[in-house]
Protein backbone atom coordinates (compact mmCIF):
# COMPACT_ATOMS: atom_id res chain seq x y z
CA UNK A 1 0.00 0.00 0.00
CA UNK A 2 1.21 3.49 -0.88
CA UNK A 3 4.34 2.26 -2.65
CA UNK A 4 5.69 1.41 -6.09
CA UNK A 5 6.06 -2.26 -5.11
CA UNK A 6 4.80 -4.82 -7.61
CA UNK A 7 4.29 -8.49 -6.84
CA UNK A 8 3.15 -11.57 -8.70
CA UNK A 9 1.80 -14.84 -7.32
CA UNK A 10 1.26 -18.32 -8.69
CA UNK A 11 -2.03 -19.63 -7.30
CA UNK A 12 -4.53 -22.38 -7.86
CA UNK A 13 -7.10 -21.05 -10.30
CA UNK A 14 -9.89 -21.36 -7.72
CA UNK A 15 -9.27 -17.76 -6.57
CA UNK A 16 -10.68 -16.54 -9.90
CA UNK A 17 -13.77 -18.74 -9.88
CA UNK A 18 -17.17 -19.02 -8.29
CA UNK A 19 -17.71 -18.21 -4.62
CA UNK A 20 -14.04 -17.36 -3.97
CA UNK A 21 -14.20 -14.15 -5.98
CA UNK A 22 -16.45 -11.83 -3.90
CA UNK A 23 -14.66 -12.08 -0.52
CA UNK A 24 -11.14 -11.93 -2.01
CA UNK A 25 -11.37 -9.50 -4.91
CA UNK A 26 -13.77 -7.01 -3.34
CA UNK A 27 -11.16 -6.65 -0.60
CA UNK A 28 -8.20 -6.34 -2.98
CA UNK A 29 -9.86 -3.87 -5.34
CA UNK A 30 -11.19 -1.98 -2.30
CA UNK A 31 -7.57 -1.30 -1.32
CA UNK A 32 -6.97 0.42 -4.69
CA UNK A 33 -4.84 -2.51 -5.81
CA UNK A 34 -5.20 -3.60 -9.43
CA UNK A 35 -4.01 -6.42 -11.65
CA UNK A 36 -1.06 -5.50 -13.90
CA UNK A 37 -0.80 -8.76 -15.77
CA UNK A 38 -2.31 -12.23 -15.54
CA UNK A 39 -1.73 -15.65 -17.01
CA UNK A 40 -5.02 -17.47 -17.32
CA UNK A 41 -5.43 -21.08 -16.20
CA UNK A 42 -2.80 -23.59 -17.24
CA UNK A 43 -1.84 -27.02 -15.96
CA UNK A 44 1.09 -27.02 -13.55
CA UNK A 45 3.72 -29.56 -14.48
CA UNK A 46 6.76 -30.77 -12.64
CA UNK A 47 9.56 -33.25 -13.22
CA UNK A 48 8.24 -35.78 -10.71
CA UNK A 49 6.44 -38.79 -12.16
CA UNK A 50 3.58 -38.66 -9.65
CA UNK A 51 2.88 -34.93 -9.82
CA UNK A 52 -0.75 -34.05 -9.14
CA UNK A 53 -2.86 -32.37 -11.81
CA UNK A 54 -3.03 -28.80 -10.51
CA UNK A 55 -4.48 -25.91 -12.52
CA UNK A 56 -2.94 -22.55 -11.74
CA UNK A 57 -2.94 -18.86 -12.66
CA UNK A 58 -0.28 -16.16 -12.31
CA UNK A 59 -1.43 -12.72 -11.17
CA UNK A 60 0.55 -9.49 -10.72
CA UNK A 61 -0.75 -6.87 -8.28
CA UNK A 62 0.24 -3.27 -7.52
CA UNK A 63 -0.95 0.29 -6.96
CA UNK A 64 1.36 1.58 -9.70
CA UNK A 65 -0.56 3.66 -12.25
CA UNK A 66 0.01 3.96 -15.98
CA UNK A 67 1.52 0.54 -16.63
CA UNK A 68 0.42 -1.40 -19.73
CA UNK A 69 -1.72 -4.39 -18.82
CA UNK A 70 -1.32 -7.83 -20.36
CA UNK A 71 -3.20 -11.12 -20.32
CA UNK A 72 -1.29 -14.28 -21.24
CA UNK A 73 -3.34 -17.15 -22.65
CA UNK A 74 -2.44 -20.15 -24.83
CA UNK A 75 1.05 -18.82 -25.47
CA UNK A 76 -0.22 -15.41 -26.57
CA UNK A 77 0.42 -12.06 -24.87
CA UNK A 78 -2.52 -9.66 -25.26
CA UNK A 79 -2.47 -6.01 -24.23
CA UNK A 80 -5.76 -5.00 -22.59
CA UNK A 81 -7.36 -1.97 -20.99
CA UNK A 82 -8.34 -3.66 -17.72
CA UNK A 83 -8.09 -7.05 -16.01
CA UNK A 84 -10.96 -8.01 -13.73
CA UNK A 85 -11.28 -10.73 -11.09
CA UNK A 86 -12.22 -13.28 -13.76
CA UNK A 87 -8.97 -12.44 -15.61
CA UNK A 88 -10.94 -10.91 -18.46
CA UNK A 89 -10.51 -7.63 -20.31
CA UNK A 90 -13.76 -6.36 -18.86
CA UNK A 91 -15.07 -4.01 -16.14
CA UNK A 92 -14.46 -4.81 -12.47
CA UNK A 93 -17.89 -6.32 -11.92
CA UNK A 94 -18.01 -9.00 -9.24
CA UNK A 95 -20.89 -11.47 -9.46
CA UNK A 96 -22.09 -12.42 -5.98
CA UNK A 97 -24.01 -15.59 -5.10
CA UNK A 98 -27.76 -15.14 -4.70
CA UNK A 99 -30.36 -17.27 -2.94
CA UNK A 100 -32.97 -16.42 -5.61
CA UNK A 101 -32.75 -15.60 -9.29
CA UNK A 102 -32.70 -11.98 -10.39
CA UNK A 103 -35.51 -12.87 -12.83
CA UNK A 104 -38.95 -14.53 -12.65
CA UNK A 105 -37.76 -17.99 -13.73
CA UNK A 106 -38.52 -21.36 -12.10
CA UNK A 107 -36.15 -22.13 -9.21
CA UNK A 108 -33.27 -24.55 -9.66
CA UNK A 109 -32.68 -26.94 -6.76
CA UNK A 110 -30.02 -29.43 -5.71
CA UNK A 111 -31.10 -33.08 -5.81
CA UNK A 112 -31.77 -35.23 -2.76
CA UNK A 113 -28.94 -36.60 -0.61
CA UNK A 114 -29.32 -40.14 0.81
CA UNK A 115 -26.40 -40.26 3.34
CA UNK A 116 -27.10 -43.97 3.56
CA UNK A 117 -23.83 -45.82 3.05
CA UNK A 118 -25.25 -47.03 -0.26
CA UNK A 119 -28.03 -49.01 1.40
CA UNK A 120 -30.93 -47.16 -0.24
CA UNK A 121 -29.38 -47.45 -3.71
CA UNK A 122 -29.95 -50.42 -6.03
CA UNK A 123 -28.17 -51.58 -9.16
CA UNK A 124 -30.41 -52.95 -11.94
CA UNK A 125 -29.43 -56.48 -10.90
CA UNK A 126 -30.26 -55.80 -7.24
CA UNK A 127 -33.60 -54.30 -8.25
CA UNK A 128 -34.47 -57.30 -10.42
CA UNK A 129 -33.50 -59.77 -7.69
CA UNK A 130 -35.60 -57.91 -5.12
CA UNK A 131 -38.66 -57.77 -7.37
CA UNK A 132 -38.32 -61.42 -8.31
CA UNK A 133 -38.76 -62.44 -4.68
CA UNK A 134 -40.95 -59.56 -3.53
CA UNK A 135 -43.05 -58.10 -6.40
CA UNK A 136 -44.84 -55.81 -3.92
CA UNK A 137 -41.59 -53.88 -3.47
CA UNK A 138 -42.01 -52.26 -6.89
CA UNK A 139 -44.00 -49.32 -5.53
CA UNK A 140 -41.04 -48.42 -3.29
CA UNK A 141 -38.47 -48.30 -6.09
CA UNK A 142 -37.70 -45.25 -8.22
CA UNK A 143 -35.06 -44.50 -10.80
CA UNK A 144 -32.14 -42.65 -9.19
CA UNK A 145 -30.05 -40.23 -11.23
CA UNK A 146 -26.96 -38.08 -10.83
CA UNK A 147 -24.69 -36.37 -13.32
CA UNK A 148 -22.76 -39.59 -13.97
CA UNK A 149 -25.93 -41.55 -14.78
CA UNK A 150 -27.43 -38.78 -16.91
CA UNK A 151 -24.37 -38.09 -19.05
CA UNK A 152 -23.16 -41.67 -19.42
CA UNK A 153 -26.53 -43.40 -19.74
CA UNK A 154 -26.15 -45.50 -16.59
CA UNK A 155 -29.18 -46.83 -14.74
CA UNK A 156 -29.54 -46.99 -10.97
CA UNK A 157 -32.49 -47.16 -8.63
CA UNK A 158 -33.28 -46.20 -5.06
CA UNK A 159 -35.66 -47.27 -2.33
CA UNK A 160 -38.17 -44.47 -1.81
CA UNK A 161 -39.94 -45.32 1.42
CA UNK A 162 -41.66 -42.05 2.38
CA UNK A 163 -45.12 -43.58 2.02
CA UNK A 164 -44.24 -47.08 3.23
CA UNK A 165 -45.94 -48.22 6.43
CA UNK A 166 -43.94 -50.05 9.13
CA UNK A 167 -45.84 -53.25 8.29
CA UNK A 168 -44.98 -53.03 4.60
CA UNK A 169 -41.28 -52.55 5.35
CA UNK A 170 -41.17 -55.52 7.75
CA UNK A 171 -42.89 -57.77 5.19
CA UNK A 172 -39.89 -57.34 2.86
CA UNK A 173 -36.80 -58.52 4.82
CA UNK A 174 -34.18 -57.20 2.33
CA UNK A 175 -35.67 -53.69 2.63
CA UNK A 176 -35.91 -54.00 6.41
CA UNK A 177 -32.24 -55.00 6.56
CA UNK A 178 -31.20 -52.10 4.36
CA UNK A 179 -33.10 -49.66 6.58
CA UNK A 180 -31.30 -51.08 9.62
CA UNK A 181 -27.97 -50.60 7.83
CA UNK A 182 -28.86 -46.97 7.06
CA UNK A 183 -29.56 -46.36 10.74
CA UNK A 184 -26.27 -47.96 11.78
CA UNK A 185 -24.34 -46.01 9.15
CA UNK A 186 -25.75 -42.69 10.31
CA UNK A 187 -25.22 -43.48 13.99
CA UNK A 188 -21.53 -44.12 13.28
CA UNK A 189 -21.08 -40.66 11.76
CA UNK A 190 -18.95 -38.03 13.48
CA UNK A 191 -21.53 -35.40 12.51
CA UNK A 192 -24.27 -34.76 15.05
CA UNK A 193 -26.76 -33.83 12.33
CA UNK A 194 -26.20 -37.16 10.56
CA UNK A 195 -26.57 -39.09 13.84
CA UNK A 196 -29.90 -37.34 14.45
CA UNK A 197 -31.09 -38.50 11.03
CA UNK A 198 -30.58 -42.09 12.17
CA UNK A 199 -34.01 -41.63 13.80
CA UNK A 200 -35.60 -41.67 10.32
CA UNK A 201 -33.61 -44.30 8.38
CA UNK A 202 -36.38 -44.83 5.82
CA UNK A 203 -35.97 -41.26 4.57
CA UNK A 204 -33.22 -39.65 2.53
CA UNK A 205 -31.14 -37.39 4.76
CA UNK A 206 -31.98 -34.41 2.56
CA UNK A 207 -35.22 -34.78 0.63
CA UNK A 208 -35.75 -32.20 -2.10
CA UNK A 209 -37.67 -34.48 -4.45
CA UNK A 210 -40.37 -32.86 -6.59
CA UNK A 211 -42.55 -35.35 -8.46
CA UNK A 212 -42.66 -33.46 -11.74
CA UNK A 213 -40.87 -33.39 -15.10
CA UNK A 214 -37.72 -31.32 -14.83
CA UNK A 215 -34.77 -29.85 -16.67
CA UNK A 216 -31.73 -31.80 -15.49
CA UNK A 217 -28.44 -29.95 -14.98
CA UNK A 218 -25.22 -31.94 -14.47
CA UNK A 219 -23.39 -30.40 -11.54
CA UNK A 220 -19.98 -31.20 -13.05
CA UNK A 221 -19.23 -31.36 -16.77
CA UNK A 222 -16.05 -31.55 -18.84
CA UNK A 223 -14.65 -28.25 -20.06
CA UNK A 224 -13.86 -29.97 -23.37
CA UNK A 225 -17.51 -30.03 -24.39
CA UNK A 226 -18.86 -27.11 -26.40
CA UNK A 227 -22.05 -27.25 -24.33
CA UNK A 228 -23.04 -28.65 -20.96
CA UNK A 229 -25.51 -31.44 -21.85
CA UNK A 230 -28.65 -30.18 -20.17
CA UNK A 231 -31.77 -32.27 -20.71
CA UNK A 232 -35.14 -33.38 -19.40
CA UNK A 233 -36.09 -36.12 -16.96
CA UNK A 234 -39.53 -37.56 -16.37
CA UNK A 235 -41.60 -37.19 -13.25
CA UNK A 236 -40.85 -39.83 -10.64
CA UNK A 237 -37.06 -39.87 -11.12
CA UNK A 238 -35.12 -39.03 -7.96
CA UNK A 239 -32.20 -36.72 -8.77
CA UNK A 240 -29.31 -37.04 -6.33
CA UNK A 241 -27.18 -34.36 -4.70
CA UNK A 242 -24.60 -34.52 -7.49
CA UNK A 243 -27.13 -32.93 -9.82
CA UNK A 244 -29.43 -29.94 -10.19
CA UNK A 245 -33.00 -29.82 -11.45
CA UNK A 246 -35.55 -27.22 -12.49
CA UNK A 247 -38.96 -28.81 -11.83
CA UNK A 248 -41.46 -27.94 -14.56
CA UNK A 249 -38.77 -26.18 -16.62
CA UNK A 250 -39.93 -25.63 -20.19
CA UNK A 251 -38.46 -25.75 -23.70
CA UNK A 252 -37.75 -22.03 -23.79
CA UNK A 253 -35.71 -22.17 -20.58
CA UNK A 254 -33.85 -25.25 -21.83
CA UNK A 255 -33.03 -23.43 -25.08
CA UNK A 256 -31.57 -20.43 -23.27
CA UNK A 257 -29.54 -22.56 -20.85
CA UNK A 258 -28.07 -24.74 -23.59
CA UNK A 259 -27.01 -21.72 -25.68
CA UNK A 260 -23.57 -20.19 -26.22
CA UNK A 261 -24.79 -17.08 -24.35
CA UNK A 262 -25.37 -19.05 -21.17
CA UNK A 263 -22.17 -21.06 -21.71
CA UNK A 264 -20.21 -17.80 -21.86
CA UNK A 265 -21.63 -16.94 -18.42
CA UNK A 266 -20.83 -20.41 -17.07
CA UNK A 267 -17.22 -20.18 -18.23
CA UNK A 268 -16.88 -16.83 -16.48
CA UNK A 269 -18.59 -17.25 -13.09
CA UNK A 270 -18.80 -21.00 -12.40
CA UNK A 271 -16.45 -22.78 -10.07
CA UNK A 272 -14.19 -25.52 -11.39
CA UNK A 273 -13.11 -29.00 -10.36
CA UNK A 274 -9.60 -29.06 -11.80
CA UNK A 275 -10.67 -27.46 -15.08
CA UNK A 276 -14.16 -28.97 -15.42
CA UNK A 277 -17.23 -26.80 -14.93
CA UNK A 278 -18.83 -26.94 -11.48
CA UNK A 279 -22.30 -25.49 -11.98
CA UNK A 280 -23.78 -23.73 -8.95
CA UNK A 281 -27.36 -22.61 -8.33
CA UNK A 282 -26.41 -19.45 -6.44
CA UNK A 283 -23.30 -18.58 -8.44
CA UNK A 284 -24.46 -19.32 -12.01
CA UNK A 285 -28.22 -19.77 -12.43
CA UNK A 286 -29.45 -17.20 -9.92
CA UNK A 287 -27.04 -14.54 -11.24
CA UNK A 288 -27.53 -15.21 -14.96
CA UNK A 289 -28.97 -12.20 -16.85
CA UNK A 290 -32.01 -13.53 -18.70
CA UNK A 291 -33.34 -11.63 -21.72
CA UNK A 292 -36.90 -10.40 -22.16
CA UNK A 293 -37.98 -11.98 -25.46
CA UNK A 294 -40.98 -11.16 -27.56
CA UNK A 295 -43.48 -13.97 -28.06
CA UNK A 296 -42.07 -14.53 -31.54
CA UNK A 297 -38.52 -14.77 -30.21
CA UNK A 298 -39.64 -17.14 -27.45
CA UNK A 299 -41.33 -19.43 -29.98
CA UNK A 300 -38.19 -19.40 -32.13
CA UNK A 301 -36.09 -20.55 -29.15
CA UNK A 302 -38.62 -23.26 -28.31
CA UNK A 303 -38.41 -24.51 -31.90
CA UNK A 304 -34.61 -24.68 -31.96
CA UNK A 305 -34.53 -26.26 -28.48
CA UNK A 306 -36.90 -29.01 -29.61
CA UNK A 307 -34.72 -29.62 -32.66
CA UNK A 308 -31.74 -30.32 -30.36
CA UNK A 309 -33.80 -32.90 -28.47
CA UNK A 310 -35.08 -34.46 -31.71
CA UNK A 311 -31.59 -34.91 -33.10
CA UNK A 312 -30.37 -36.46 -29.84
CA UNK A 313 -33.24 -38.96 -30.22
CA UNK A 314 -31.91 -39.88 -33.67
CA UNK A 315 -28.95 -41.53 -31.89
CA UNK A 316 -30.60 -43.89 -29.38
CA UNK A 317 -27.44 -45.96 -28.93
CA UNK A 318 -25.30 -42.92 -28.06
CA UNK A 319 -25.00 -41.42 -24.59
CA UNK A 320 -24.81 -37.69 -24.00
CA UNK A 321 -21.10 -38.25 -23.35
CA UNK A 322 -20.83 -39.66 -26.88
CA UNK A 323 -22.97 -36.96 -28.48
CA UNK A 324 -21.11 -34.07 -26.82
CA UNK A 325 -17.57 -35.39 -27.22
CA UNK A 326 -15.93 -32.79 -29.52
CA UNK A 327 -14.47 -35.61 -31.63
CA UNK A 328 -17.74 -37.50 -32.13
CA UNK A 329 -20.44 -34.80 -31.88
CA UNK A 330 -22.72 -35.30 -34.91
CA UNK A 331 -22.74 -32.59 -37.55
CA UNK A 332 -26.53 -32.34 -37.32
CA UNK A 333 -26.36 -31.74 -33.56
CA UNK A 334 -23.75 -29.02 -34.00
CA UNK A 335 -26.00 -27.37 -36.59
CA UNK A 336 -29.00 -27.55 -34.26
CA UNK A 337 -27.02 -25.87 -31.49
CA UNK A 338 -25.84 -23.14 -33.87
CA UNK A 339 -29.45 -22.46 -34.84
CA UNK A 340 -30.40 -22.32 -31.15
CA UNK A 341 -27.49 -19.97 -30.47
CA UNK A 342 -28.73 -17.65 -33.20
CA UNK A 343 -32.27 -17.64 -31.80
CA UNK A 344 -31.03 -16.84 -28.29
CA UNK A 345 -28.62 -14.15 -29.52
CA UNK A 346 -31.47 -12.50 -31.42
CA UNK A 347 -33.59 -12.45 -28.26
CA UNK A 348 -30.75 -10.68 -26.43
CA UNK A 349 -30.18 -8.28 -29.31
CA UNK A 350 -26.64 -9.61 -29.77
CA UNK A 351 -24.93 -9.62 -33.14
CA UNK A 352 -24.03 -13.01 -34.58
CA UNK A 353 -20.49 -11.67 -35.03
CA UNK A 354 -19.94 -11.01 -31.33
CA UNK A 355 -17.09 -12.90 -29.69
CA UNK A 356 -17.55 -14.82 -26.46
CA UNK A 357 -15.72 -12.07 -24.57
CA UNK A 358 -18.01 -9.41 -26.05
CA UNK A 359 -21.03 -11.46 -24.97
CA UNK A 360 -19.63 -11.75 -21.43
CA UNK A 361 -19.03 -8.00 -21.25
CA UNK A 362 -22.64 -7.33 -22.28
CA UNK A 363 -23.94 -9.87 -19.76
CA UNK A 364 -21.86 -8.27 -17.00
CA UNK A 365 -23.40 -4.90 -17.94
CA UNK A 366 -26.89 -6.42 -17.75
CA UNK A 367 -26.05 -7.93 -14.37
CA UNK A 368 -24.74 -4.62 -13.05
CA UNK A 369 -27.82 -2.75 -14.21
CA UNK A 370 -30.15 -5.36 -12.70
CA UNK A 371 -28.56 -5.41 -9.23
CA UNK A 372 -28.36 -1.61 -9.12
Amino acid sequence: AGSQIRCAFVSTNSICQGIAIPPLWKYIFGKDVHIDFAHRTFKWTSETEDSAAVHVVIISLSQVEGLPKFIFVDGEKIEVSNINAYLLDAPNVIVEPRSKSLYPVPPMIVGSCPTDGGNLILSPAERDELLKKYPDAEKFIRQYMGSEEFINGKIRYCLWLKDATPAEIKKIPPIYDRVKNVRDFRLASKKEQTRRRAETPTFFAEDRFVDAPAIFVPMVSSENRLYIPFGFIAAGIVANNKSLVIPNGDLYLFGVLTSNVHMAWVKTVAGRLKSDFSYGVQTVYNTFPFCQPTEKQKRAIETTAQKILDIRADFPDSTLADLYDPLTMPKSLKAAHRANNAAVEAAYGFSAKMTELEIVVELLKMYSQKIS
Side-chain angles (χ1 to χ4, degrees):
S3 77
Q4 295 294 297
I5 293 173
R6 301 175 66 200
C7 65
F9 291 102
V10 179
S11 168
T12 56
N13 62 355
S14 59
I15 67 166
C16 295
Q17 298 167 358
I19 60 174
I21 285 181
L24 176 64
W25 290 101
K26 283 179 73 175
Y27 176 83
I28 290 176
F29 292 152
K31 295 292 184 181
D32 294 324
V33 173
H34 50 251
I35 301 175
D36 293 335
F37 69 81
H39 196 305
R40 289 186 193 152
T41 298
F42 64 97
K43 188 175 179 180
W44 181 268
T45 57
S46 71
E47 295 178 357
T48 60
E49 293 183 1
D50 59 347
S51 59
V54 180
H55 293 79
V56 299
V57 293
I58 302 173
I59 300 174
S60 171
L61 302 168
S62 81
Q63 289 184 330
V64 181
E65 298 295 339
L67 295 173
K69 298 180 183 293
F70 297 97
I71 292 176
F72 296 84
V73 58
D74 297 329
E76 188 177 359
K77 178 182 178 181
I78 306 166
E79 185 167 0
V80 297
S81 58
N82 184 61
I83 304 174
N84 69 9
Y86 302 95
L87 306 189
L88 297 173
D89 179 12
N92 285 336
V93 176
I94 292 178
V95 178
E96 303 203 44
R98 299 182 58 86
S99 59
K100 292 183 179 180
S101 174
L102 287 163
Y103 297 83
V105 292
M108 178 185 289
I109 59 176
V110 181
S112 300
C113 179
T115 314
D116 64 332
N119 291 288
L120 295 176
I121 312 305
L122 302 170
S123 67
E126 289 171 328
R127 170 188 175 273
D128 293 345
E129 183 180 353
L130 178 61
L131 292 179
K132 186 176 181 180
K133 294 181 180 178
Y134 303 95
D136 291 345
E138 186 169 12
K139 63 181 179 179
F140 303 128
I141 298 175
R142 292 182 180 270
Q143 189 174 346
Y144 177 75
M145 186 174 291
S147 300
E148 173 73 12
E149 289 78 18
F150 183 74
I151 292 176
N152 293 294
K154 295 181 179 180
I155 301 295
R156 285 204 293 171
Y157 299 91
C158 69
L159 294 174
W160 197 252
L161 304 170
K162 287 178 65 174
D163 299 323
T165 67
E168 287 174 321
I169 292 173
K170 294 196 74 172
K171 282 181 182 177
I172 307 175
I175 292 182
Y176 183 80
D177 290 342
R178 284 175 176 265
V179 169
K180 179 180 180 298
N181 292 338
V182 172
R183 184 199 63 186
D184 294 344
F185 174 81
R186 292 178 182 173
L187 284 174
S189 174
K190 295 180 180 179
K191 297 181 179 179
E192 181 183 350
Q193 186 180 36
T194 302
R195 292 195 300 272
R196 286 201 304 269
R197 284 171 173 158
E199 297 175 5
T200 53
T202 58
F203 287 66
F204 271 44
E206 297 173 19
D207 174 13
R208 290 179 283 266
F209 173 67
V210 178
D211 196 1
I215 294 175
F216 187 95
V217 181
M219 192 174 283
V220 177
S221 180
S222 171
E223 67 158 354
N224 296 323
R225 299 186 181 110
L226 293 174
Y227 308 93
I228 295 175
F230 299 95
F232 287 89
I233 59 172
I237 295 176
V238 177
N240 70 18
N241 58 308
K242 301 297 182 183
S243 58
L244 306 164
V245 290
I246 308 173
N248 298 306
D250 58 17
L251 264 179
Y252 162 73
L253 183 57
F254 167 75
V256 173
L257 294 181
T258 200
S259 71
N260 62 330
V261 173
H262 185 247
M263 281 303 302
W265 189 253
V266 172
K267 291 177 184 178
T268 302
V269 305
R272 301 281 181 126
L273 288 177
K274 295 182 180 177
S275 59
D276 291 341
F277 301 121
S278 180
Y279 197 106
V281 178
Q282 296 188 351
T283 53
V284 183
Y285 183 73
N286 288 350
T287 63
F288 178 62
F290 282 91
C291 60
Q292 304 300 313
T294 64
E295 279 302 314
K296 182 178 180 181
Q297 289 170 334
K298 187 174 181 179
R299 287 196 299 272
I301 293 171
E302 290 170 343
T303 299
T304 56
Q306 184 61 55
K307 185 66 174 178
I308 290 172
L309 297 174
D310 292 343
I311 289 177
R312 288 181 186 177
D314 290 339
F315 299 89
D317 297 332
S318 299
T319 65
L320 289 172
D322 299 329
L323 292 173
Y324 284 86
D325 185 317
L327 296 178
T328 57
M329 188 174 184
K331 184 178 180 180
S332 56
L333 185 56
K334 289 181 180 178
H337 271 285
R338 285 195 295 269
N340 184 70
N341 292 344
V344 174
E345 288 168 351
Y348 275 86
F350 293 168
S351 164
K353 296 180 180 179
M354 287 175 67
T355 65
E356 184 172 273
L357 176 58
E358 289 171 335
I359 288 174
V360 168
V361 170
E362 289 303 312
L363 292 175
L364 287 172
K365 288 179 182 177
M366 290 175 64
Y367 171 82
S368 295
Q369 291 167 0
K370 188 69 175 177
I371 63 172
S372 65

